[in-house]
Amino acid sequence: MAGKQSTPGEIFAELLEDGQPQALAWVTGSAALPTLSGLVKFYNTPYGGTLVEAELFGLPGQLQPGNSQFYAMHIHENGDCSADFQNTGGHFNPRQTQHPQHAGDLLPLFSNQGYAWISFYDKRFIIPEILGRAVVIHRMQDDFHSQPAGNSGEKIGCGVIRLTNRQDQKNLDR
């Protein structure tokens, strides 16, 4: 239909279905949770901000029907996942805001039988700002009020945010 306007949701669905993410983070589990793994993808949007898609497997908990749990997911300042993720620093917080307004405070993951998938739009950061930083998965859900970081427990998964290819670097530099 000529002249049809698309909604942001339709554009986001198209990006997820047919688009190439500009950056991604391969998440791996801690020494205590070596089966935790997943991928977090970051897409540019025509609205500024970033579309984020995360898919994780092997989240802890009993794998029984009806067993669900929430986990915190954050972007941390440092892209250093060594030493069981103890070198990732605090939440990415370029505007020095209170928790949970940090740019690195992401939506919680909802796990069902160890699997979680989520997609959301976030206008608090753009991809060049988060490159080289870490996506961190925490054992518990964020409480959204404790300072400075939400009392979300130990870091159980980590991945460094990287560009998907050289062409994306050229596009981001424009």
Side-chain angles (χ1 to χ4, degrees), residues 57 62 79 91 117 153:
F57 302 87
Q62 295 178 338
H91 292 181
W117 182 88

Side-chain angles (χ1 to χ4, degrees), residues 137-161:
I137 310 303
H138 293 266
R139 182 172 290 278
M140 300 182 312
Q141 67 186 25
D142 193 311
D143 68 14
F144 298 110
H145 60 79
S146 296
Q147 298 300 325
N151 196 29
S152 52
E154 77 177 289
K155 299 170 184 175
I156 60 171
C158 184
V160 178
I161 302 167

